[in-house]
Amino acid sequence: KAAKLSTEGNACIRQSQMTDLIYTEKELVQSLKEYIKAEESKLDAVKSWANKLDVLTRASTLDPEGYLAHPVNAYKLMKRLNTEWSELESLVLQDPSDGFISNMTVHRQYFPDQEDEKGAAKALMRLQDTYKLDSESFARGKLPGMHHNAILTVDDCYDMGKTAYNEADYYHAVLWMQQALRQMDAEEEHVVSKADVLDYLSYSVYQMGDLPRAIELTRRLVAIDSSHQRAGGNLRYFEKLLSKQLNELNQEGQEPATEEPIQLGTYKRPNDYLPEREIYEALCRGEGVKMTTERRSRLYCRYHDGNRNPRLLLQPMKEEDEWDSPHIVRYLNALSDQEIEKIKELAKPRLARATVRDPITGILTTANYRVSKSAWLEGEEDPVIERVNQRIEDITGLTTQTAELLQIANYGVGGQYEPHFDFSRRPQDIMVDGNRLATFLNYMSDVEAGGATVFPDFGAAIYPKKGTAVFWYNLFRSGEGDYRTRHAACPVLVGSKWVSNKWIHERGQEFRRPCGLTEVD
């Protein structure tokens, strides 16, 4: 009997275990359903991605250059390939697909990286500053001369703001986080949480010195997420700081936050390393150009035969004065369309990030104030380059034997070169062939918006026109540098800017441009 009881007892235990297994199996079935649902959801997400990208690539491949001429499209391309395709890759990797992964592996080497995405975001901010465009204009794709529609989503604006925040650029972080919040409040779709946006925005506003608004935004954050790990502490700190400031000013009560929305101009952009920043950017916008009626009356156009150069006698160059002092001239039909295309064809495989000489070390390095890609072409490489070099010599009357190679530069989205001198100011940087006597600049493309060549010292703005060239001397006849020629390439707002530079040096010009004892043009 005891043995029977024992057996029954084991049987009861086994029954209870079996009962548990029934429920376990039910849980497994539920888990299986959730797995199927997850797989279906993943497949739907992949299908959604494919459909969206199919529509996008159909539009972009119809007119690639026109599509990329919009800076927002260029930024979003960088963002997609660096961030969003990686997210898609992670999604697919949940159920490995060898074909997709091998394809990704092959093409990944050509994808932009994090630095490229950051650079594209900074380019949009640079355009925003230079041309005084608010975040709303960019987010809605409202740019001058733009035919392709491109918008920034809530998550795009958030990523822009986060890029600025990570660079301690709280001015732009505020503008873009505010735009993300504005689109959120308009009930646009988003992945990022409102708490995250308010977290970045409130702290960035605090860094801009606006404590009342920082407090108001932090209170909104606490109302949304009372358990937020930083919000409560930040709020107490901001309130204590504001109270201290009011006490020091002998004021009672908290200063109310302004109800005006944050926009371009709400906060002053911090000063930076460039003393003529405001003048330079105003000229880029076409403001402050000192082209008076009196000055214009001193500007002429003429036929130029290079002092009766045989190659220009039958077909002289059309020369127009762009500025009187220093004298800057423009030559029409300096390059044909065929020559331009050949030069671009030769240069494209060699284009690399343009460099500048470090003023301390003298070493060539990249810099944020020069954002373009360049290549150098020798005359021996192609008859077109030899012909262009000869034409420059014929037009200017200066030898190009001691000149630098023809430099080809391409300025894409936000591409620029901030105010600089073409001539060297340190004796140790001057080459064996002497300083850069003159600059001959060929414009190889039209630019829909932006991209002007500006001279902050005397308020001139010269706009790109395909096939034309501008020329000026960097040195006086005495050999001293003409500091008035400090100039800049404004950021390209819409389009792509191609130029070719020929820097002509002093050596060999002794009888072509004789020296003088005074600083005259």
Side-chain angles (χ1 to χ4, degrees), residues 241-483:
L241 201 57
L242 182 59
S243 177
K244 181 181 177 182
Q245 289 181 3
L246 294 175
N247 288 336
E248 290 174 353
L249 297 171
N250 294 320
Q251 294 182 13
E252 293 184 2
Q254 179 174 311
E255 181 182 342
T258 175
E259 295 184 2
E260 289 292 323
I262 298 172
Q263 55 191 354
L264 201 67
T266 299
Y267 302 118
K268 186 178 184 300
R269 182 166 40 134
N271 293 328
D272 64 5
Y273 54 87
L274 193 62
E276 68 264 63
R277 170 76 62 190
E278 291 187 8
I279 297 173
Y280 152 58
E281 292 182 346
L283 287 170
C284 290
R285 296 190 297 271
E287 302 168 8
V289 178
K290 298 177 181 177
M291 178 57 76
T292 62
T293 303
E294 181 183 355
R295 170 168 280 120
R296 194 180 298 278
S297 70
R298 297 194 295 268
L299 305 181
Y300 300 93
C301 58
R302 64 191 70 82
Y303 283 105
H304 174 77
D305 63 10
N307 197 21
R308 300 195 60 78
N309 185 295
R311 280 179 286 269
L312 297 179
L313 279 177
L314 293 179
Q315 190 175 359
M317 297 297 297
K318 296 175 182 178
E319 181 183 88
E320 297 178 350
D321 291 332
E322 286 282 350
W323 207 259
D324 56 347
S325 181
H327 194 204
I328 303 174
V329 295
R330 186 193 294 262
Y331 296 102
L332 308 186
N333 304 318
L335 289 177
S336 68
D337 288 348
Q338 292 78 12
E339 288 171 332
I340 288 171
E341 290 309 308
K342 185 61 179 180
I343 292 170
K344 288 164 67 173
E345 177 189 326
L346 293 169
K348 282 179 180 178
R350 310 184 201 178
L351 288 174
R353 176 72 184 270
T355 58
V356 296
R357 194 171 297 280
D358 188 292
I360 298 175
T361 65
I363 298 172
L364 291 175
T365 183
T366 58
N368 290 331
Y369 59 83
R370 187 179 193 184
V371 183
S372 66
K373 290 188 173 183
S374 64
W376 301 82
L377 301 179
E378 296 189 46
E380 295 79 5
E381 295 183 48
D382 192 276
V384 168
I385 307 303
E386 188 63 49
R387 188 163 65 244
V388 169
N389 288 340
Q390 184 62 58
R391 186 177 302 142
I392 292 172
E393 185 167 313
D394 295 340
I395 292 171
T396 63
L398 302 172
T399 180
T400 57
Q401 294 302 307
T402 56
E404 295 175 43
L405 301 181
L406 191 67
Q407 186 208 50
I408 317 304
N410 176 225
Y411 298 84
V413 51
Q416 63 161 6
Y417 193 176
E418 290 181 352
H420 62 281
F421 301 100
D422 278 354
F423 63 89
S424 298
R425 291 169 292 155
R426 301 195 316 169
Q428 59 268 39
D429 291 338
I430 297 176
M431 299 180 184
V432 66
D433 289 322
N435 215 334
R436 285 175 170 173
L437 173 67
T439 296
F440 196 97
L441 173 62
N442 288 296
Y443 292 116
M444 302 199 301
S445 66
D446 294 313
V447 180
E448 288 88 335
T453 304
V454 299
F455 295 78
D457 186 81
F458 50 90
I462 299 174
Y463 296 93
K465 185 176 180 183
K466 185 178 180 181
T468 70
V470 292
F471 172 76
W472 68 86
Y473 282 102
N474 298 305
L475 306 180
F476 290 110
R477 288 187 178 274
S478 64
E480 295 297 318
D482 186 347
Y483 282 78

Side-chain angles (χ1 to χ4, degrees), residues 187-206:
E187 299 184 351
E188 292 188 19
E189 291 184 5
H190 54 88
V191 175
V192 64
S193 70
K194 183 173 284 189
D196 283 341
V197 173
L198 286 168
D199 187 19
Y200 281 103
L201 179 58
S202 59
Y203 187 77
S204 298
V205 165
Y206 155 69

Side-chain angles (χ1 to χ4, degrees), residues 186-244:
E187 299 184 351
E188 292 188 19
E189 291 184 5
H190 54 88
V191 175
V192 64
S193 70
K194 183 173 284 189
D196 283 341
V197 173
L198 286 168
D199 187 19
Y200 281 103
L201 179 58
S202 59
Y203 187 77
S204 298
V205 165
Y206 155 69
Q207 286 289 347
M208 293 304 296
D210 190 349
L211 273 172
R213 198 189 296 264
I215 290 171
E216 184 267 331
L217 289 167
T218 309
R219 284 175 177 165
R220 283 185 65 181
L221 173 55
V222 171
I224 292 173
D225 184 1
S226 58
S227 63
H228 194 280
Q229 60 179 355
R230 287 182 301 277
N234 283 353
L235 181 59
R236 289 188 294 274
Y237 175 71
F238 295 159
E239 289 175 336
K240 182 179 178 180
L241 201 57
L242 182 59
S243 177
K244 181 181 177 182

